């Protein structure tokens, strides 16, 4: 707009000044408009091509139309060009300015976003690496999932190196998770096996207790006992596979199973020889006596049956035992009748609870209650136990029916498990996934309580072995890794033991020893996984070696901690020490002593360092406080000096001596040591300036007095009392008697040119001065003394009387030019 107004007024002025040329100038706007159009077309073509950033920046500033400028500005991407265009467009083109300003802002926001993403990537990578090394397994997988979720948002912005570092850390974390899961599953499996063993022992104990309470009139079911024995043997076999069983637990199982086998063997023998037993037993009821052969046969049969002790002898065997000459089983001793009544009442309560549990189909609770009832039933004597015998048999039958019913209900599920295992054996799968599925099916089989059907169990076992066959090679290779890690751990122990055996603790590098300790622990952790059983001995050896290494390290750490504690106490004693500079020097020396001390425990060192740092901070805080006080005093002194500086700043070379002297006196009275550097320099400069002005004023006064003496000497009016006293002596030292020569010498000394007529004379005088060694006037005191000598000779030597006024004026002119530094 301003350019257009200028152009408009220029056109009007031209038109008014040259009206005759109006017709000649009328086509000019058309030519300018054509030129503008051509430029616009040219700039549009440039925009349509692929202009460089410099060209776009130029178009954004010099474009013919606003559209061209804004379009060019919108296509700018280079930050330097954007900043330059923003600078040029500010105040000139608001549209372009806003476009480039917005573009720069967007670039800054984008850069900030990228920086934030880069920081996030670095943080996530560091967190993943820390988690891979961390011993904290709480919510381990959840924390890794959170890191992976966050990584998904920034993965596309990560460099290949960052991606590789993060994925390597994640891989180590996943390996750690797999190991934790494997350990947890192994622990779960062992817990399940432990539970199965306990339940097996409980069932065997309960069965034996039931057999001890079995009425002698009836024998237990041979098929049930046989199925129970085989089922529990398989169950125990599975519960002891790949795990450690305590000797006492194994002994309890073997004892119970042996008792069950013996009982089962006796029952089986009775069942097989029942007819013979009945026939031999009938001989005692007959009229005739049994023959010796029959008695021997009965004795052999009783020995073969070998009925176990502690179990009620079946009624069927009593005649046979009599025939064989075996005594009856000993009777129980008499017990207290009141106690028997109490036990009977307790058994009544147990049986009522058992009936309720059986009605509710609660098998587990029913088994437990029946076991308790059996124990209480055995505590009763024969007279008190007889009323409960029939009821116990009835409830035992109901419990067996419930158990058989549940077994019948689980058989289809077990068949389904066999089919699933057989299908799994035929499927090609990942070894770990396949092994995991095998474990799941086996756990489901155990949850069903096993099977009394030996054929069904053999079918499931064969399918399991076939399914697991392809996994063996994989886990064999995995066990190779464990073996390699175990060997690596053994090598670590060897190296550590060699170091300990050869270490000279009196001259050892303690920091290096501490690094060896840390490195050994780190490499030990990295040599993982290992086989737990094989690692026990190596782990024990490593722990013992670490203790051997840690003992001297701990001793050295405690000694160094004592030294550092002494330094802390010295530093604390310096907090109030005077002088302060000495306290600061000693604190700095203590810091050097601290750095020279060797290894310490990290936590203890941190505590002592905080105490030492606190004491040092207090010492140097005193210095800061003194500096603050000095700064405050300096500010106060600066403020006080401002009055003198203000007064001095108002004085100049035109001021008189009466004004300068008090101002100079005030500046001299200021204590410069209390001032800040800047104000002190300012005061010094003002003092120098005022001294210079005062010297100049005194010199002017002296020159004016000397000039008046020169004029007075010319007229012969000089009074001796008005002349400086030392001039009399100076007048006697001069050998110049010519007034012209004296004036020329004064002009030479004062640097004033001589008239043309005296140039030859001046040259001669200068040559003579050079010969006499007086050509240099560098010494201001000598210059002033020479001038005074000439003036003394002029005024007191009589030369001035012989001079005319012209020479006197030349001399005064020379004096006016005298300006000694």
């Amino acid at each position: 707009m301003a350019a257009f107004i200028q152009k408009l007024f220029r056109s009007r002025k031209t038109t008014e000044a040259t009206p005759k040329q109006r017709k000649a100038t009328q086509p000019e706007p058309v030519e300018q408009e054509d030129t503008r159009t051509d430029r616009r077309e040219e700039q549009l073509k440039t925009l349509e091509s692929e202009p460089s950033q410099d060209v776009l920046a130029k178009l954004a500033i010099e474009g013919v139309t606003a559209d061209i400028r804004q379009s060019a500005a919108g296509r700018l991407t280079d930050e330097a060009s954007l900043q330059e265009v923003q600078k040029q467009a500010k105040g000139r083109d608001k549209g372009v300015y806003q476009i480039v300003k917005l573009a720069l802002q967007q670039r800054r926001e984008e850069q900030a976003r990228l920086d934030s993403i880069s920081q996030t990537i670095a943080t996530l990578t560091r967190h993943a690496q820390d988690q891979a090394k961390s011993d904290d397994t709480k919510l381990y997988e959840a924390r890794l999932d959170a890191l992976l979720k966050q990584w998904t948002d920034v993965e596309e912005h990560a460099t290949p190196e960052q991606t590789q570092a993060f994925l390597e850390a994640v891989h180590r974390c996943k390996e750690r998770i797999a190991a934790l899961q494997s350990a947890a599953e192994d622990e779960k499996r062992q817990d399940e096996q432990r539970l199965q063993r306990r339940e097996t022992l409980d069932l065997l104990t309960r069965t034996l207790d039931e057999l001890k309470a079995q009425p002698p009139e009836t024998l237990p079911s041979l098929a049930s006992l046989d199925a129970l024995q085989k089922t529990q043997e398989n169950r125990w076999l599975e519960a002891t596979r790949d795990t450690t069983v305590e000797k006492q637990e194994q002994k309890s199982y073997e004892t119970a199973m042996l008792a069950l086998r013996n009982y089962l063997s006796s029952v089986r023998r009775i069942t097989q020889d029942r007819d013979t037993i009945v026939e031999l037993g009938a001989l005692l009821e007959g009229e005739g006596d049994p023959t010796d052969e029959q008695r021997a046969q009965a004795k052999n049969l009783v020995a073969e049956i070998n009925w176990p002790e502690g179990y009620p002898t079946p009624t069927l065997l009593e005649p046979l035992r009599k025939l064989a000459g075996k005594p009856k089983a000993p009777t129980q001793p008499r017990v207290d009748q009141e106690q028997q009544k109490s036990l009977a009442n307790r058994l009544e309560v147990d049986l009522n609870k058992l009936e309720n549990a059986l009605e509710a189909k609660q098998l587990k609770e029913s088994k437990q209650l029946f076991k308790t009832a059996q124990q209480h039933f055995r505590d009763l004597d024969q007279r008190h136990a007889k009323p409960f015998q029939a009821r116990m048999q009835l409830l035992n039958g109901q419990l067996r029916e419930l158990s058989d019913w549940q077994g019948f209900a689980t058989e289809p599920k077990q068949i389904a498990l066999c089919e699933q295992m057989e299908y799994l054996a035929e499927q090609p799968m990942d070894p770990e996934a396949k092994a995991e599925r095998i474990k799941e099916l086996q756990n489901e089989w155990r949850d069903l309580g096993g099977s009394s059907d030996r054929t069904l169990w053999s079918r499931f076992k064969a399918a399991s072995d076939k399914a697991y066959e392809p996994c063996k090679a994989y886990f064999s290779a995995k066990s190779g890794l464990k073996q390699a890690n175990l060997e690596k751990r053994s090598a670590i122990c060897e190296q550590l033991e060699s170091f300990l055996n050869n270490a000279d603790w009196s001259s050892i590098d303690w920091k290096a020893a501490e690094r060896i300790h840390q490195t050994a622990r780190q490499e030990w952790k990295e040599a993982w996984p290992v086989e737990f059983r094989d690692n026990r001995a190596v782990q024990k050896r490593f722990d013992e070696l670490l203790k051997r290494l840690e003992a001297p390290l701990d001793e050295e750490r405690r000694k160094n901690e004592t030294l550092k504690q002494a330094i802390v106490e010295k530093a604390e004693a310096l907090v109030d020490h005077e002088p302060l500079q000495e306290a600061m020097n000693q604190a700095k020396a203590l810091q050097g002593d601290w750095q020279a001390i060797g290894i310490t425990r990290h936590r203890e060192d941190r505590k002592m360092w905080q105490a030492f740092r606190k004491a040092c901070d207090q010492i140097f805080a005193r210095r800061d406080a003194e500096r603050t006080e000095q700064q405050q005093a300096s500010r106060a002194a600066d403020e006080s000096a401002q009055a003198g500086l203000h007064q001095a700043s108002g004085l100049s070379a035109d001021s008189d001596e009466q004004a300068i002297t008090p101002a100079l006196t005030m500046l001299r009275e200021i204590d410069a040591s209390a001032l800040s550097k800047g104000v002190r320099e300012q005061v010094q400069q003002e003092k120098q300036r005022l001294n210079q002005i005062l010297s100049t004023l005194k010199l002017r006064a002296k020159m004016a007095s000397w000039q008046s003496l020169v004029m007075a000497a010319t007229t012969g009016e000089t009074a001796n009392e008005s002349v400086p006293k030392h001039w009399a002596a100076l007048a006697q030292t001069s050998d110049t008697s010519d007034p012209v020569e004296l004036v020329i010498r004064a002009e030479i000394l004062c640097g004033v040119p001589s008239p043309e007529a005296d140039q030859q004379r001046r040259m001669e005088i200068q040559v003579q001065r050079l010969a006499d060694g007086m050509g240099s006037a560098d010494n201001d005191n000598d210059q002033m003394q020479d001038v005074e000598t000439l003036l003394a000779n002029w005024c007191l030597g009589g030369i001035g009387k012989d001079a005319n006024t012209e020479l006197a004026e030349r001399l005064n002119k020379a004096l006016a030019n005298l300006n000694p530094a």
Side-chain angles (χ1 to χ4, degrees):
M1 181 63 74
F4 175 73
I5 293 174
Q6 269 188 350
K7 182 179 178 181
L8 180 61
F9 278 107
R10 190 183 302 114
S11 299
R12 289 180 179 178
K13 185 175 180 181
T14 305
T15 303
E16 292 173 0
T18 57
K20 294 181 180 180
Q21 297 178 2
R22 183 176 301 170
K23 293 182 180 179
T25 57
Q26 284 178 356
E28 199 169 313
V30 177
E31 293 178 358
Q32 292 178 356
E33 185 65 29
D34 292 342
T35 303
R36 179 183 177 88
T37 302
D38 293 341
R39 288 180 58 200
R40 182 171 62 84
E41 294 296 333
E42 182 181 355
Q43 290 175 356
L44 287 174
K45 289 180 180 179
T46 303
L47 282 176
E48 290 175 358
S49 60
E50 295 183 358
S52 64
Q53 291 293 303
D54 293 338
V55 173
L56 288 174
K58 185 175 181 181
L59 289 176
I61 298 300
E62 300 177 358
V64 175
T65 64
D67 291 341
I68 293 175
R69 294 193 298 273
Q70 293 177 8
S71 177
R75 293 171 61 180
L76 285 172
T77 56
D78 181 62
E79 185 173 0
S81 300
L82 286 169
Q83 291 176 348
E84 181 63 26
V85 171
Q86 184 185 30
K87 181 179 178 182
Q88 296 290 335
K90 186 175 182 180
R92 294 176 55 187
D93 193 330
K94 186 176 181 180
V96 171
Y97 179 80
Q98 291 296 334
I99 289 173
V100 295
K101 179 181 178 182
L102 180 60
L104 286 172
Q105 182 177 356
Q106 290 175 347
R107 285 179 61 86
R108 285 192 292 269
E109 291 175 352
E110 179 64 17
Q111 186 61 40
R113 187 181 71 86
L114 293 177
D115 292 343
S116 175
I117 291 174
S118 178
Q119 182 64 31
T120 302
I121 291 172
T123 302
L124 290 176
T125 303
R126 186 175 65 257
H127 286 176
Q129 292 171 345
D130 292 343
Q131 182 165 343
K133 302 175 183 177
S134 175
D135 293 333
D136 183 12
T137 58
K138 186 176 181 181
L139 299 176
Y140 196 91
E141 188 171 2
R143 284 185 286 154
L144 180 60
D145 290 340
L147 288 175
L148 290 172
K149 184 176 181 182
Q150 296 177 40
W151 177 261
T152 303
D153 298 334
V154 298
E155 182 178 7
E156 60 182 4
H157 300 284
T159 63
E161 293 78 10
Q162 291 173 329
T163 303
Q164 182 179 359
F166 180 81
L167 293 180
E168 287 178 354
V170 169
H171 179 68
R172 292 197 298 271
C173 290
K174 287 184 176 179
E175 289 182 344
R176 185 81 175 277
I177 289 172
L180 291 173
Q181 290 176 346
S182 177
E185 290 171 0
D186 186 63
E187 183 178 359
K188 181 180 178 182
R189 177 182 62 81
Q190 293 187 10
D191 291 342
E192 178 64 23
Q193 288 178 321
R194 195 177 298 111
L195 176 62
Q196 294 295 329
R197 293 197 301 270
R198 186 167 58 250
E199 290 183 352
T200 299
L201 290 175
D202 291 344
L203 179 57
L204 290 176
T205 303
R206 186 169 64 252
T207 302
L208 293 174
D209 290 341
E210 291 174 359
L211 294 176
K212 289 178 181 179
Q214 181 76 17
E217 292 81 6
T218 60
L219 284 176
S221 172
L222 179 61
S224 299
L225 289 177
D226 184 62
L228 176 66
Q229 177 202 352
K230 293 178 179 178
T231 302
Q232 297 312 309
E233 283 180 344
N234 291 333
R235 187 179 187 183
W236 185 264
L237 181 63
E238 288 296 321
T240 56
R241 178 177 296 173
D242 298 330
T243 188
T244 303
V245 182
E246 294 182 0
K247 292 183 179 179
Q248 185 61 38
E249 189 178 20
Q250 182 68 27
K251 185 177 180 181
S252 299
Y253 166 75
E254 291 173 354
T255 302
M257 184 54 71
L258 178 61
L260 180 61
R261 289 195 190 105
N262 292 336
Y263 189 92
L264 179 60
S265 176
S266 298
V267 172
R268 182 179 291 110
R269 186 68 180 183
I270 292 173
T271 304
Q272 292 174 354
D273 298 332
R274 177 181 291 271
D275 294 340
T276 304
I277 294 172
V278 172
E279 181 180 348
L280 291 174
L283 294 175
L284 294 177
E285 298 177 359
E287 296 179 357
D289 293 331
T291 63
D292 292 339
E293 184 179 355
Q294 290 173 336
R295 289 182 182 275
Q297 184 181 4
K299 188 175 182 179
N300 291 334
L301 192 56
V302 169
E304 290 175 358
I305 293 173
N306 191 22
W307 186 257
E309 296 181 1
Y311 296 90
T313 305
T315 306
L316 186 63
L317 285 182
E318 288 299 334
L320 189 64
R321 291 172 66 89
K322 290 180 182 180
L323 183 61
K326 292 285 184 178
K328 291 186 177 180
T331 58
Q332 296 293 332
R334 299 183 63 184
V335 295
D336 184 24
Q337 297 299 317
E338 293 295 331
Q339 183 180 5
Q340 289 295 311
K341 289 182 180 180
S342 176
L343 293 174
N345 293 333
R346 186 174 62 179
L347 178 58
E348 179 70 25
V349 174
D350 293 338
L351 294 178
N352 291 334
K353 292 181 179 179
L354 178 57
E355 289 176 347
N356 294 332
L358 290 171
E359 290 179 2
K361 306 298 183 183
Q362 297 173 348
L363 178 61
K364 186 175 181 180
E365 185 176 354
S366 299
K367 288 181 178 180
Q368 185 64 33
L369 289 171
F370 187 74
K371 180 180 178 181
T372 304
Q374 282 182 322
Q375 293 174 352
H376 294 164
F377 181 77
R378 285 194 299 269
D379 294 337
L380 295 175
D381 58 15
Q382 186 174 2
R383 187 171 67 85
H384 289 85
K386 189 173 182 179
F388 295 100
Q389 186 171 355
R391 189 176 179 187
M392 285 288 293
Q393 292 177 356
L394 176 63
L395 293 176
N396 187 21
Q398 292 178 359
L399 180 60
R400 289 183 180 278
E401 289 178 1
L402 179 60
S403 178
D404 292 341
W405 178 82
Q406 288 202 349
F408 176 76
T410 57
E411 184 176 358
K413 297 180 181 178
Q414 291 173 338
I415 294 174
L417 288 176
C418 291
E419 293 174 351
Q420 293 180 38
M421 187 66 77
E422 290 167 349
Y423 175 77
L424 181 63
E426 302 297 332
Q427 299 302 311
M429 292 176 61
D430 177 71
E432 289 194 359
K434 195 168 191 177
E436 182 65 26
R437 181 56 183 160
I438 292 172
K439 288 182 180 180
E440 291 176 359
L441 294 177
Q442 289 175 342
N443 289 335
E444 292 180 20
W445 181 275
R446 294 191 189 98
D447 292 340
L448 295 175
S451 175
S452 60
D453 188 344
R454 186 70 179 177
T455 304
L456 194 60
W457 160 247
S458 300
R459 176 186 175 187
F460 181 78
K461 180 68 170 59
S464 300
D465 293 341
K466 183 179 179 181
Y468 190 75
E469 191 66 29
C471 304
K472 286 184 179 179
Y474 172 78
F475 288 108
S476 175
K478 192 171 183 180
S479 64
L481 174 61
K482 292 182 178 181
Q483 183 62 31
N485 288 331
L486 187 64
E487 293 174 359
K488 184 177 180 181
R489 288 191 170 189
S490 298
I492 293 173
C493 292
E494 293 293 338
Q495 295 171 4
L496 201 55
E497 187 170 15
S498 175
F499 167 75
L500 290 171
N501 293 336
N502 299 319
D504 183 5
W505 298 108
S506 61
S507 60
I508 197 169
D509 183 352
W510 291 104
K511 291 186 177 180
E514 188 176 46
R515 284 195 297 271
I516 289 173
H517 177 267
Q518 295 172 352
T519 303
R521 289 174 60 88
Q522 181 64 30
E523 291 183 355
W524 186 269
K525 289 182 180 179
E526 291 174 354
W528 186 87
V530 292
E531 192 64 40
F532 178 75
R533 295 178 181 177
D534 299 337
N535 184 59
R536 286 178 180 173
V538 183
Q539 182 70 51
K540 183 178 179 181
R541 181 186 179 191
F542 180 71
D543 294 340
E544 292 174 353
L545 291 172
L546 280 188
K547 288 180 181 179
R548 286 179 57 191
L549 178 57
E550 287 169 355
L553 287 175
D554 289 340
E555 183 179 354
E556 179 68 15
R557 290 185 183 114
R558 285 191 293 270
K559 184 183 74 173
N560 292 335
E561 288 166 7
T562 303
L563 297 176
K564 287 194 174 183
Q565 184 61 39
I567 291 177
V568 172
E569 294 172 356
K570 290 180 182 178
E572 291 174 344
L574 292 174
V575 172
D576 299 322
H577 182 78
E578 293 293 344
L580 177 59
Q581 185 60 43
E582 182 177 333
M584 290 192 298
N585 292 338
Q586 292 185 22
K588 292 177 181 178
L590 289 177
Q591 290 176 352
D593 295 342
W594 182 282
Q595 297 295 331
I597 295 176
I599 62 173
T600 54
R601 289 176 294 179
H602 177 73
R603 181 175 297 179
E604 298 299 325
D605 184 84
R606 197 65 190 164
K607 291 179 182 178
M608 291 186 291
W609 169 251
Q610 290 175 354
F612 178 59
R613 180 65 180 272
K614 180 180 179 182
C616 291
D617 289 345
Q618 290 176 350
I619 294 171
F620 291 102
R622 290 173 54 199
R623 178 196 63 183
D624 296 338
E626 289 188 1
R627 285 182 177 177
T628 302
E629 292 178 1
Q630 291 176 357
Q631 291 174 356
Q632 292 176 350
S634 178
R635 284 195 293 269
D638 290 348
E639 293 176 358
S640 177
Q642 289 302 323
L645 290 173
H646 180 69
Q647 181 178 353
S649 63
L651 300 175
S652 64
D654 297 333
S655 302
D656 55 12
E657 186 176 354
Q658 289 76 12
I660 293 174
T661 301
L664 185 59
T665 301
M666 182 180 293
L667 292 177
R668 287 171 178 170
E669 291 175 351
I670 295 175
D671 184 9
S673 61
L675 297 175
S676 63
K677 182 179 179 181
V679 176
R680 183 167 58 250
E681 292 177 352
Q682 190 176 356
V683 169
Q684 186 65 26
Q685 291 173 359
E686 286 298 319
K687 285 164 64 175
Q688 292 176 356
R689 188 177 70 85
L690 293 182
N691 281 325
Q692 183 67 31
I693 293 174
L694 191 59
S695 298
T696 302
L697 291 176
K698 289 180 179 180
L699 181 61
R700 287 178 182 175
K702 183 186 291 186
M703 291 299 105
S705 173
W706 289 356
Q707 287 174 345
S708 62
L709 290 175
V710 169
M711 296 305 296
T714 304
T715 58
E717 298 176 356
T718 303
N720 291 336
E721 59 273 10
S722 61
V723 177
K725 295 179 181 181
H726 64 282
W727 277 17
L730 292 176
Q732 296 177 2
T733 60
S734 175
D735 56 355
T736 302
S737 58
D738 185 2
V740 176
E741 181 181 350
L742 187 146
V743 171
I744 292 173
R745 287 180 177 273
E747 289 173 342
I748 293 172
L749 289 171
C750 297
V752 175
S754 302
E756 185 67 26
D758 294 332
Q759 285 298 322
Q760 184 63 33
R761 184 80 176 272
R762 179 171 177 141
M763 182 78 66
E764 295 174 356
I765 293 172
Q766 286 178 334
V767 172
Q768 182 182 354
R769 284 172 56 82
L770 289 172
D772 295 340
M774 299 174 59
S776 176
D778 292 340
N779 194 319
D780 296 331
N781 292 330
D782 291 345
Q783 179 188 18
M784 183 62 69
Q785 186 175 359
D786 291 345
V787 171
E788 286 193 77
T789 299
L790 294 176
L791 291 176
N793 197 19
W794 179 278
C795 296
L796 299 179
I799 297 178
K801 295 179 181 180
D802 301 333
N804 53 30
T805 305
E806 182 181 357
L807 289 175
E809 290 178 353
R810 284 175 60 186
L811 181 57
N812 284 340
K813 182 179 179 183
L815 290 176
N817 195 57
L818 182 63
N819 187 22

